[in-house]
Structures are given as structure tokens and as C-alpha cells.
Amino acid sequence: MVLRWLRAGMLGMVALTALLYVVVANRAGDQAEAVRRTHESIEDIVAAQEHADKAMNALGVAIRADAETLIGPGSDFTNRTTQVSTLLTSAAEGNANKDEGLRDFQFVQGQLTTCVQLANRVASAGQKCMSAPHALVPDKKTKDPRDKNKVDFTGGLIQSLNDLAVNERTALEQQGRTHWLNPHVLWPLLTVPVAVMLLLVCGTGYVVAHHFRQYPSPALGLALLLTASVAVTTCLRCRDGGADEWVMAIMLPLLVAAGALTYLGFKHRLAEYRFPPLMRRQT
């Protein structure tokens, strides 16, 4: 009876490790993908800032040019602002602030559209109109009169892009602290079943050595080793961003093999108690 309970306990730990592996790998993979998208979003916003800065410089060149020969704000300004719009659209796909972040992206897109519309009026309004979008691009944020702190998204286009990048970096830090990517949570969660399994293997070795006067089956040690390798690999892979498909294809068969080895490790010892009742009476 004790051996059956020990076998059931070890099989349960193997099954628990398999369940934890599937859940943790999937959740960590989702979180890692979200972190990757947010990181790419930040890179797009930074690139958009660079293009906006170059668009401002191109707009300055257009202002200083001959108004009679100038058609609109110039092709360089148009190309740069188009790049900014494209990068903002791409960055919005990795938005990590949900509804609030979506509103921020929409606001910056609207601010960009206003800059372009004002700049395009130069063909009819002349140099005077060009000063309006030129001021709108690099303006600094305004301060709250109550606490004198600067208010986000109250400056020009470049400053708003900077505010957008700051918000996304804050969200990225929060994503990196999620439980599914936190080694302080993953290691205890996945190593506890292995530790319990180690105790069960030691208990089995004690029973077999003292009651059967034999060595425990090496299959039990190998099953423990396979289970521990899956747990450790899962912790390491989730730290790096989740398990790949080929990793999952290897880990699950290893746990199946650990379960089979556990069963075989107890098979011969339990078979020694399977005597018919008649043989027991004759003995």
C-alpha cells in the first residue's frame, strides 16, 4: 500500500509539472510577445521623432526660401511627415496603454495632420502662414498653474511624440514585472513539484532498502532527472521570453517518458505482493 501511494505521488508530480509547464509556457509566451510589440512601438515612436525633427528643419528651409518659387512646404517636409504618420500607425499596433494610449496616439495623429494642413497653406498664404506650423512642431509643454508641473501632450508635435514614448516605456516596465516573466515566482512554482518528487524518491528508496533488502530502481532517478530538467528549462526559457514550439515538442515527451519510468520503477516491487490467497495460506 505504501509503495502504491508513493507511485501515485510521483506520477502526480510528473502530471503537475506537465500542467504547470503548459500554462506557464503559454502565458509567458503571450507576455513576451506583448513586451516585444511594445518595444517595437517605442522604436517606431523614436524614429517618428527623428523624422519630425527633420521635417521641422525642412520647414525652416522652406520658410527662408523664395516664396514665389516655393510650391507648398517642400517635398522633404511632405516625405518626413508621411514617414511620421506611417510610424505612428505602426506604433499604435503595439500600444500597451489600451484605451488611454489609443487616445494619445489619435491625438498625436491629429496634431500631425494639423501641422501638415497649416504647412500646405503656404502656397496661397505665403510666408506668414509658414510660421504657424513651424511653431507648432517644436513647442514645449505648458505648466499646470496649480503645481507648476508640465502637462503631457500640451506641447508641439515633437514634444508630444516624446510624451508618447515616455508612456510606452512606463508600460514596458510594467509588462516586464508580470508574474509570468518574474523568476522569483517561476522558480518556486516549478521546482516545488520536483522537490516533492525528490522526497518521494528518497522515501521509496528507504522502503525498498529496508523491506525488500534491494536497491531502488534506477528508473526512478532518471524520471526525477527528466522532470527536473523540464522545470529548470521552463524557468530559463520563460526568462528569455517563453518557450518555442520545438521546445514544447521536446519537453512534453520527456514528461511522458518520466511518467513511464516512474511506473516501471515500481512495477517489479509491487509484483512481489501479487500472490493468490491460497499460496499465502500454504506459506
Side-chain angles (χ1 to χ4, degrees), residues 32-215:
E33 178 64 19
V35 169
R36 184 190 63 81
R37 290 196 302 267
T38 304
H39 191 269
E40 290 180 351
S41 176
I42 294 173
E43 291 180 344
D44 289 338
I45 295 172
V46 172
Q49 284 181 276
E50 296 176 356
H51 282 287
D53 185 66
K54 293 179 180 178
M56 181 187 69
N57 295 333
L59 196 56
V61 172
I63 290 176
R64 295 187 295 270
D66 188 354
E68 295 180 357
T69 60
L70 180 65
I71 301 176
S75 60
D76 192 15
F77 175 83
T78 302
N79 293 335
R80 296 295 182 183
T81 52
T82 301
Q83 287 292 330
V84 173
S85 179
T86 301
L87 289 168
L88 279 175
T89 302
S90 176
E93 298 178 358
N95 169 41
N97 287 321
K98 298 183 180 179
D99 294 339
E100 183 178 355
L102 181 60
R103 289 193 298 268
D104 294 339
F105 274 100
Q106 291 174 345
F107 172 79
V108 177
Q109 282 279 18
Q111 196 173 21
L112 173 63
T113 302
T114 301
C115 291
V116 173
Q117 289 174 348
L118 289 173
N120 286 331
R121 288 169 55 188
V122 70
S124 58
Q127 213 173 42
K128 182 179 179 180
C129 181
M130 287 295 290
S131 61
H134 185 269
L136 190 60
V137 173
D139 271 354
K140 296 181 179 180
K141 295 188 291 186
T142 59
K143 293 184 178 180
D144 191 330
R146 293 170 297 181
D147 52 16
K148 303 301 181 181
N149 291 327
K150 293 183 178 181
V151 181
D152 291 341
F153 299 101
T154 57
L157 177 61
I158 295 177
Q159 186 60 59
S160 295
L161 287 169
N162 182 70
D163 295 338
L164 199 60
V166 170
N167 289 347
E168 289 298 307
R169 289 190 182 98
T170 301
L172 180 63
E173 293 177 358
Q174 294 176 351
Q175 288 177 331
R177 290 194 295 266
T178 183
H179 295 320
W180 302 108
L181 299 178
N182 188 350
H184 299 292
V185 175
L186 290 178
W187 281 96
L189 180 66
L190 287 166
T191 55
V192 165
V194 177
V196 174
M197 191 173 179
L198 175 61
L199 294 177
L200 293 174
V201 170
C202 293
T204 302
Y206 177 82
V207 172
V208 171
H210 285 73
H211 295 273
F212 292 87
R213 298 297 188 269
Q214 294 182 9
Y215 292 106

Side-chain angles (χ1 to χ4, degrees), residues 23-35:
V23 172
V24 170
N26 287 333
R27 294 299 300 166
D30 293 340
Q31 291 295 329
E33 178 64 19
V35 169

Side-chain angles (χ1 to χ4, degrees), residues 3-24:
L3 287 179
R4 288 192 177 94
W5 279 108
L6 290 170
R7 182 180 65 179
M10 290 187 62
L11 291 174
M13 292 303 103
V14 173
L16 180 59
T17 302
L19 177 62
L20 289 174
Y21 170 75
V22 172
V23 172
V24 170

